[in-house]
Amino acid sequence: MSLAPSAAAANPPANAVVSAAAVDWRSSPPAADYTVDELMIVALSECFVDGDQACNGMASFIPVTAFQLALRTHAPDLVWLAGAVGLDPKPDRVPASTLEAPLWRNSVMYVEQYGDFWTFALNGRWLQKFCVGAAQLDKFGNGNNSVIGADYHRPRVRLPGTAGLGDMGSIGKQLYYWNPNHNPRAIVDRVDFVSCAGWLGGGDERQALGLTGGPELVITNLCVMDFEPTSRHMRLKSLHPGISVEQVQAATGFEVLVPPGAIALTRVPTEHEVHLIRHVIDPDGMRLREFGK
Amino acid sequence: MSLAPSAAAANPPANAVVSAAAVDWRSSPPAADYTVDELMIVALSECFVDGDQACNGMASFIPVTAFQLALRTHAPDLVWLAGAVGLDPKPDRVPASTLEAPLWRNSVMYVEQYGDFWTFALNGRWLQKFCVGAAQLDKFGNGNNSVIGADYHRPRVRLPGTAGLGDMGSIGKQLYYWNPNHNPRAIVDRVDFVSCAGWLGGGDERQALGLTGGPELVITNLCVMDFEPTSRHMRLKSLHPGISVEQVQAATGFEVLVPPGAIALTRVPTEHEVHLIRHVIDPDGMRLREFGK
Amino acid sequence: MAQVKLTSVAEAMTMVGDGDLVAIQNMATQAAPMGLVRELVRQGRRDLGVVCLVGGIPIDWLAAAGCLNRLIGAAVSMEQFGLCQRYRKAVEAQQIRVEELSETALNARLGAGARNLPFLPTRGLIGTDLIAINDNLVMLDDPFGGPPVVACRALVPDVALIHCHRADRYGNVQYEPTALWPDLGIMPKAATRVIVSAEEIVDTDVLRRNPDRTVLPGFMVDAVVEIPWGAHPTSFNPKYGYDTGLHLAWTKAARDDDATAAFLERYVTGPANQAEYLDRVGGASRMAALQRWEITT
Amino acid sequence: MAQVKLTSVAEAMTMVGDGDLVAIQNMATQAAPMGLVRELVRQGRRDLGVVCLVGGIPIDWLAAAGCLNRLIGAAVSMEQFGLCQRYRKAVEAQQIRVEELSETALNARLGAGARNLPFLPTRGLIGTDLIAINDNLVMLDDPFGGPPVVACRALVPDVALIHCHRADRYGNVQYEPTALWPDLGIMPKAATRVIVSAEEIVDTDVLRRNPDRTVLPGFMVDAVVEIPWGAHPTSFNPKYGYDTGLHLAWTKAARDDDATAAFLERYVTGPANQAEYLDRVGGASRMAALQRWEITT
């Protein structure tokens, strides 16, 4: 038995791997052959920074690839809770499911869901950003995964259900919507049913209910949109290279706000980012499943 | 890999040990040299039967010895949650603490307290009997472990605090009080402060608050008492051999109800029970600590 | 230490009656008590309600077999294998009524049921349309003057169906280290009866080696049965992965009424026992592949 | 993966300010973060509040050193070593104000604090005198028409002090299989800051071997320090038992003001670090005896 300090306490090591990755990321030139999945992943990745905790749910290839990209580039201290279960996992590669055990291989902690995960999520200090995939999303950032049709009890289409979105929209999270198939049936004037609270009816309606947080960005295969701070109406933030304002409008079920002046272009992935996505993080191309491939 | 049933599933064995113990227990004659600690343990043991779940808290040598005696005699299927932590433990002997790990050695389950133990206790189907040690106990079976004195905020004596009793008294449990030092300062007319709800002011007052369960028995070094069903006033049930009604009255801070006719005698431990207590369950005599020894 | 709860699957499932509200462990493609669910279908239960966190293929099979008339849950999805089409059609035909809850609201309803509290609060769901359509949720002011909460009424399922890695004959239930979802963490504690299938029945002394892995005490459990590979075709980490092939075969069959009936006959009602079922889904060699988490179509 | 939280005990305890409400892990003679508590006394903190489930010797030392003016908890007791006499005298002299809660009420207050809910309900305490004297408890009708509950107001301690078996430098905290009390299960999650002492700081890869034993994620933890035998003289199962001799020496000293001062000087404020403290309480040979759970007076 020893009364002396352990080696791990005495010798905090430099984190050499992280430093090397950071250098590569900063100096790498824009990629010539990136694809839109990679562009969306890079855009989402930029939203997650050191000090954040990120988690993901089902069928979330773009978020889990984005988190791993952030960890390998600008946000080495990002905390990732894979599948809302595995803390800081080391998966071999993005697997065929983002809610099965291969994603959270080699975790530091298995977070029990009922008591622990939801305590962390409700607390308000952790997991303050959440990525949302919704079947319907409206101009005020409300999400719908419940029903299509006017009557909840007589749905035209039964969607999967709100799962954790019905919580995440109401408990102060910054919401990041992603949609790889920007079309007027998915991005609509008003959702048929609010199963994830966004800016509700716009303006200060969300705030009046005592809710903090709210929708921040919408990242699609055409553009990035945010919400105008007063009206809380969806607004074009940047166009993906090669996409026009008209294409965005035609693919949207309402008139998107367009800020005056030149519209920014979404940043193109660097060669290093493309390399990481294609060859290190998701060599099997699971992210393409979100595009129906 | 096998697709066949496991041996444990295919061959449920007879429980030979339990059967042997049951035979000894039934045929053993009354012991000539029992002591009052053993008498109290046997009396408490009889309250716990097959199908019950029992748990214990701090400084509970008489309950933990009683549970183990029941398990080895009339109640082989009793479930014991040692220290409200360890399910069906196999301690070597009663240790110096009834809330430290030696008591729950070799358990089947470690029950997590916050979520699991209190869920089991609150549910209403399990752990329906609870042994209470209280600094003060009154004629309606209310317990006090909080303060002595008229003003909670200016106590004459600060007692340890209610701990789990403030719950167990209110959530439908049958309460079994034990006290190895029956005296008029401990068994009083009215407790200074109700930190464990008994029959409250007597009569149907407890029921009127929507509470089920309530105090069942009081087992002391002089006698066993129950509560008269209408008034809920404490009542003599049996005298320990050699103790008179007058001795009980003199040791009690109010007039104990005495049923008409001959008073029953508390059953004397058998030789087998004394053997189990002295030589198998508690060979170090930890139970005597409750008597200041 | 306790009563013997070990029995056969056929006997165990007679504890479920027509009309019962049945809580089913299952997270999309994970950890469903499929052996128990198939027996429910074989025994022809009707008018069942289901409680699930995120229900997958067991919900779709029960819907396809006409066993269900209501569901309380947070979602129904087979993740990569898409929506549960037979369930969806039955809901759209108003044959199944859905009480859709967020995860914290479902947890609160079950937590209140487990703890004999009339309700538990959440701050989820505020602002959504899910409160107004549900009599089991109501806004409640904070008695201390803080923000209001959503009170979620206690939910007590009639029975919970659980699958585990090992159990003893007294119903003590052990789980290997892996994800622990609320459908194991709280659902069985809320239910009036609990039926458990185990990959393996072991002697109690085996459980004593890892008391921290025991997740349900025997006194909560009414029946325990041994069903090796009992979660197939869902995954049961760390022992085995989900069966991609059988999920795909089902999603294909589910498009068509006749193919659905044939599938149910072949895989659900036809096999007389678990051994026959395992033969029909590929036997020991396929189980070995799933044990290696191979994605086999 | 996260920020480095490893620091010295002296630096860590500067995160606790005079007047703070400090949640302290401790169940009678078990599992108290004694190395952190002694540093609080050495640094001369004043007007502290304590939150504890069942506080033992750390409460008595803090009371004896004049650090406390309030306590929120279910009980204060050293079990076989009796009541905490210095704490008791301070309460009777009205120097420490006590908010006494049942275990479910304390759990509800902390649970609400952890989950950012204004309150959580319990059905404990009904009928006792503990409700009327406490502004943080109020009877509340069930909005669904069932029985009333006791609403327990959210409690957010300023800081929680925790001891664990091992941690990494990022503050990921692991616990060996043993009793898991609410002061670890919920208390640190409710607190604004969390300071952890660990028997041993290990590489993160050591934690990955048993992810099911990690009880607090690093992102919840503000500082982690290595203090071997850091729970002494309380027990820290399975590594070591409580120190009967030091508990008895304390209960004897606590009867007398001078003896109390001498005891605090010798064991609490005097030793400059954990190594000196361990020397004074018997060094390696005594720790070896405690490791065997020997009862050594």
Side-chain angles (χ1 to χ4, degrees):
Chain A
M1 161 195 21
S2 162
L3 302 183
S6 66
N11 304 307
N15 200 331
V17 176
V18 167
S19 306
V23 168
D24 284 346
W25 164 68
R26 283 177 221 277
S27 60
S28 180
D33 68 338
Y34 73 90
T35 51
V36 68
D37 51 295
E38 292 153 353
L39 187 80
M40 287 180 68
I41 286 163
V42 167
L44 187 59
S45 164
E46 288 180 339
C47 304
F48 288 82
V49 299
D50 281 346
D52 285 342
Q53 301 87 31
C55 68
N56 68 278
M58 288 191 289
S60 301
F61 298 108
I62 287 178
V64 305
T65 309
F67 301 154
Q68 292 181 78
L69 182 65
L71 274 163
R72 286 174 164 86
T73 56
H74 64 278
D77 291 348
L78 175 67
V79 174
W80 176 34
L81 207 51
V85 169
L87 179 68
D88 188 29
K90 303 291 181 197
D92 290 341
R93 51 185 63 207
V94 174
S97 161
T98 63
L99 204 73
E100 285 274 2
L103 188 73
W104 58 73
R105 288 268 162 81
N106 217 3
S107 289
V108 172
M109 177 180 187
Y110 290 155
V111 174
E112 183 270 327
Q113 279 284 305
Y114 173 73
D116 280 355
F117 174 75
W118 283 109
T119 297
F120 302 157
L122 287 163
N123 182 281
R125 281 180 293 161
W126 309 304
L127 296 161
Q128 284 302 87
K129 296 175 177 174
F130 191 71
C131 299
V132 184
Q136 268 189 341
L137 165 66
D138 73 17
K139 65 176 181 283
F140 293 126
N142 303 296
N144 176 20
N145 273 342
S146 298
V147 291
I148 302 293
D151 182 349
Y152 169 87
H153 291 293
R154 299 163 179 268
R156 202 164 75 247
V157 179
R158 176 70 230 185
L159 298 170
T162 187
L165 301 188
D167 296 306
M168 292 301 189
S170 304
I171 57 175
K173 306 305 175 197
Q174 293 171 31
L175 304 178
Y176 294 83
Y177 286 96
W178 88 99
N179 188 331
N181 181 18
H182 193 145
N183 73 75
R185 289 164 312 286
I187 304 187
V188 299
D189 187 58
R190 287 295 276 167
V191 288
D192 287 12
F193 190 88
V194 178
S195 46
C196 177
W199 297 114
L200 303 175
D204 63 358
E205 197 173 304
R206 180 181 174 92
Q207 196 182 0
L209 272 185
L211 305 184
T212 56
E216 286 283 320
L217 286 187
V218 181
I219 298 172
T220 78
N221 55 320
L222 302 181
C223 63
V224 177
M225 295 175 284
D226 62 6
F227 296 84
E228 191 278 317
T230 304
S231 66
R232 303 301 191 179
H233 192 292
M234 206 183 288
R235 175 176 73 176
L236 191 58
K237 184 167 189 283
S238 68
L239 288 165
H240 298 348
I243 304 296
S244 68
V245 172
E246 292 66 32
Q247 280 174 289
V248 170
Q249 289 289 18
T252 305
F254 57 90
E255 195 171 342
V256 180
L257 287 178
V258 180
I263 307 297
L265 282 189
T266 311
R267 180 171 76 76
V268 166
T270 65
E271 288 179 2
H272 182 62
E273 288 167 334
V274 167
H275 170 78
L276 287 173
I277 295 169
R278 285 187 200 173
H279 302 295
V280 178
I281 301 169
D282 182 27
D284 297 330
M286 290 296 170
R287 65 196 178 279
L288 300 175
R289 291 188 171 196
E290 296 213 21
F291 297 81
K293 289 169 192 166
Chain B
M1 163 196 18
S2 162
L3 301 183
S6 67
N11 304 305
N15 200 331
V17 176
V18 167
S19 306
V23 168
D24 283 348
W25 164 67
R26 284 176 221 278
S27 61
S28 180
D33 68 338
Y34 74 88
T35 51
V36 68
D37 51 298
E38 293 153 353
L39 188 79
M40 288 181 67
I41 286 163
V42 167
L44 188 58
S45 164
E46 287 180 338
C47 304
F48 288 82
V49 299
D50 280 347
D52 285 343
Q53 301 86 31
C55 68
N56 68 277
M58 287 191 289
S60 300
F61 298 108
I62 287 179
V64 305
T65 309
F67 301 155
Q68 291 181 79
L69 182 64
L71 273 163
R72 286 175 164 85
T73 56
H74 64 278
D77 290 348
L78 175 69
V79 174
W80 176 32
L81 206 52
V85 170
L87 180 69
D88 189 30
K90 304 290 180 196
D92 289 342
R93 49 186 62 208
V94 174
S97 161
T98 63
L99 204 72
E100 284 273 3
L103 188 74
W104 60 72
R105 287 269 160 81
N106 218 3
S107 290
V108 172
M109 177 179 187
Y110 291 155
V111 174
E112 183 270 326
Q113 280 282 305
Y114 173 74
D116 281 355
F117 173 76
W118 284 109
T119 297
F120 301 158
L122 287 163
N123 182 282
R125 283 180 292 161
W126 311 303
L127 297 161
Q128 285 302 87
K129 296 175 178 174
F130 192 71
C131 298
V132 185
Q136 269 190 341
L137 166 66
D138 73 17
K139 65 177 181 285
F140 294 126
N142 303 297
N144 176 19
N145 273 343
S146 298
V147 291
I148 302 294
D151 182 349
Y152 169 87
H153 290 293
R154 298 161 181 268
R156 202 163 75 248
V157 179
R158 177 68 230 185
L159 298 170
T162 188
L165 303 188
D167 296 307
M168 292 300 189
S170 304
I171 57 175
K173 305 305 175 196
Q174 295 171 30
L175 304 178
Y176 295 84
Y177 285 95
W178 88 100
N179 188 332
N181 181 18
H182 192 146
N183 73 76
R185 289 164 312 288
I187 304 188
V188 300
D189 187 58
R190 287 295 276 167
V191 287
D192 288 10
F193 190 88
V194 178
S195 45
C196 177
W199 297 113
L200 303 175
D204 63 358
E205 197 172 305
R206 181 182 173 91
Q207 196 183 356
L209 272 185
L211 305 184
T212 56
E216 286 282 321
L217 285 186
V218 181
I219 298 171
T220 78
N221 54 322
L222 303 181
C223 62
V224 177
M225 295 174 286
D226 62 6
F227 295 85
E228 191 278 317
T230 304
S231 66
R232 302 300 192 180
H233 192 291
M234 206 183 289
R235 175 177 75 175
L236 191 59
K237 184 167 190 281
S238 69
L239 288 166
H240 297 348
I243 304 296
S244 68
V245 171
E246 292 68 30
Q247 280 175 289
V248 169
Q249 288 289 19
T252 306
F254 57 90
E255 196 171 342
V256 179
L257 287 179
V258 180
I263 307 295
L265 282 189
T266 311
R267 180 171 76 76
V268 164
T270 65
E271 288 179 3
H272 182 62
E273 288 167 334
V274 167
H275 169 77
L276 287 173
I277 294 170
R278 285 187 201 172
H279 302 296
V280 178
I281 300 169
D282 182 26
D284 297 330
M286 289 295 170
R287 65 197 178 278
L288 300 175
R289 291 189 171 194
E290 295 214 20
F291 296 83
K293 288 169 192 167
Chain C
M1 51 102 34
Q3 298 162 270
V4 172
K5 312 285 178 67
L6 186 65
T7 184
S8 68
V9 62
E11 186 65 27
M13 297 317 284
T14 62
M15 292 185 183
V16 183
D18 285 351
D20 274 0
L21 185 60
V22 185
I24 299 180
Q25 178 190 23
N26 184 198
M27 169 51 83
T29 51
Q30 286 171 51
M34 296 305 297
L36 302 180
V37 168
R38 287 200 314 279
E39 183 65 19
L40 269 187
V41 176
R42 271 193 292 267
Q43 294 191 10
R45 288 294 170 285
R46 282 296 175 271
D47 300 329
L48 297 179
V50 160
V51 183
C52 60
L53 178 62
V54 178
I57 204 165
I59 310 304
D60 221 18
W61 286 3
L62 286 166
C67 302
L68 304 186
N69 67 12
R70 62 203 190 280
L71 180 138
I72 303 174
V76 175
S77 165
M78 296 183 290
E79 206 204 5
Q80 60 181 294
F81 307 110
L83 295 177
C84 290
Q85 295 298 342
R86 304 306 297 197
Y87 159 79
R88 176 182 156 176
K89 281 178 192 162
V91 175
E92 290 164 10
Q94 295 170 51
Q95 291 157 349
I96 297 177
R97 189 179 169 90
V98 181
E99 178 182 334
E100 181 179 330
L101 294 165
S102 71
E103 295 187 29
T104 67
L106 177 61
N107 289 348
R109 291 203 63 198
L110 291 167
R115 278 169 223 151
N116 198 21
L117 294 166
F119 72 92
L120 278 171
T122 183
R123 289 273 299 159
L125 284 183
I126 296 175
T128 73
D129 290 336
L130 287 159
I131 300 175
I133 53 135
N134 192 332
D135 290 341
N136 297 312
L137 306 175
V138 65
M139 294 302 297
L140 177 67
D141 282 337
D142 173 27
F144 301 105
V149 296
V150 182
C152 306
R153 190 201 302 256
L155 173 62
V156 178
D158 294 302
V159 59
L161 308 184
I162 298 296
H163 189 63
C164 70
H165 294 92
R166 69 184 69 83
D168 67 8
R169 65 180 59 84
Y170 308 108
N172 294 297
V173 169
Q174 230 172 46
Y175 219 64
E176 285 292 284
T178 182
L180 198 63
W181 304 104
D183 50 13
L184 183 57
I186 191 65
M187 211 148 75
K189 295 161 192 164
T192 304
R193 299 185 294 286
V194 178
I195 303 174
V196 174
S197 58
E199 289 290 321
E200 191 183 14
I201 301 294
V202 298
D203 286 331
T204 304
D205 282 346
V206 174
L207 304 187
R208 291 185 200 278
R209 288 177 208 151
N210 293 104
D212 56 311
R213 295 184 185 174
T214 303
V215 292
L216 298 177
F219 62 76
M220 275 189 53
V221 172
D222 296 275
V224 60
V225 302
E226 188 178 66
I227 310 185
W229 316 97
H232 181 274
T234 64
S235 66
F236 205 59
N237 192 58
K239 189 174 171 190
Y240 48 94
Y242 52 90
D243 190 328
T244 299
L246 201 70
H247 272 91
L248 291 175
W250 168 247
T251 56
K252 188 176 171 200
R255 287 180 210 141
D256 175 84
D257 287 352
D258 290 342
T260 294
F263 184 100
L264 291 180
E265 160 58 27
R266 174 158 175 75
Y267 294 111
V268 180
T269 55
N273 52 43
Q274 182 71 0
E276 277 191 35
Y277 170 79
L278 292 175
D279 273 351
R280 292 194 186 186
V281 299
S285 67
R286 183 152 192 101
M287 294 307 120
L290 296 178
Q291 205 163 19
R292 293 187 298 269
W293 277 84
E294 284 171 16
I295 305 301
T296 313
T297 54
Chain D
M1 50 102 35
Q3 297 163 269
V4 172
K5 312 285 178 69
L6 187 66
T7 183
S8 68
V9 63
E11 187 65 27
M13 298 316 284
T14 62
M15 291 185 183
V16 182
D18 285 350
D20 273 0
L21 185 60
V22 185
I24 299 179
Q25 178 189 24
N26 184 198
M27 168 49 84
T29 51
Q30 285 170 52
M34 296 305 296
L36 301 181
V37 168
R38 287 199 315 280
E39 182 66 17
L40 269 188
V41 176
R42 270 193 294 267
Q43 294 191 10
R45 287 294 169 286
R46 284 294 174 273
D47 301 328
L48 297 179
V50 161
V51 183
C52 60
L53 178 62
V54 178
I57 204 165
I59 310 304
D60 221 18
W61 287 3
L62 287 166
C67 302
L68 303 186
N69 67 12
R70 63 202 190 279
L71 179 137
I72 303 174
V76 175
S77 165
M78 296 182 289
E79 205 205 5
Q80 61 179 294
F81 307 109
L83 296 177
C84 290
Q85 295 299 341
R86 303 307 298 197
Y87 159 79
R88 175 181 157 176
K89 281 178 190 162
V91 175
E92 291 163 9
Q94 296 170 51
Q95 291 157 350
I96 297 176
R97 188 179 169 92
V98 181
E99 178 181 334
E100 181 179 330
L101 295 165
S102 71
E103 295 186 29
T104 66
L106 177 61
N107 289 347
R109 291 203 63 198
L110 291 166
R115 278 169 224 149
N116 199 20
L117 294 166
F119 72 92
L120 277 171
T122 182
R123 289 274 300 160
L125 285 182
I126 296 175
T128 73
D129 290 335
L130 287 159
I131 300 174
I133 53 136
N134 192 332
D135 290 341
N136 297 313
L137 305 176
V138 65
M139 294 302 298
L140 177 67
D141 284 335
D142 172 29
F144 301 106
V149 296
V150 183
C152 306
R153 190 202 301 257
L155 173 62
V156 178
D158 294 303
V159 58
L161 309 184
I162 298 296
H163 189 62
C164 70
H165 294 91
R166 69 185 69 83
D168 67 8
R169 65 180 59 86
Y170 308 108
N172 295 296
V173 170
Q174 232 174 43
Y175 220 64
E176 285 292 285
T178 183
L180 198 64
W181 304 104
D183 50 14
L184 182 56
I186 191 66
M187 210 147 75
K189 295 161 191 164
T192 304
R193 299 184 293 284
V194 178
I195 302 174
V196 174
S197 57
E199 288 291 321
E200 192 183 14
I201 302 294
V202 298
D203 285 330
T204 304
D205 282 346
V206 175
L207 305 187
R208 292 185 200 276
R209 289 178 207 149
N210 294 102
D212 56 312
R213 295 184 184 173
T214 303
V215 292
L216 298 177
F219 61 77
M220 276 190 51
V221 171
D222 296 275
V224 60
V225 301
E226 188 177 65
I227 310 184
W229 316 97
H232 180 275
T234 64
S235 65
F236 204 59
N237 193 58
K239 189 174 172 190
Y240 49 94
Y242 52 90
D243 190 328
T244 298
L246 200 70
H247 272 91
L248 291 175
W250 168 247
T251 58
K252 188 176 170 199
R255 289 180 209 141
D256 174 84
D257 288 352
D258 291 342
T260 292
F263 184 100
L264 291 180
E265 159 59 26
R266 175 157 175 75
Y267 294 111
V268 180
T269 54
N273 52 44
Q274 181 71 358
E276 276 192 36
Y277 169 80
L278 291 175
D279 273 352
R280 292 193 186 187
V281 298
S285 68
R286 183 152 193 100
M287 294 307 119
L290 297 178
Q291 206 163 19
R292 294 187 298 269
W293 277 84
E294 284 172 16
I295 305 302
T296 312
T297 53

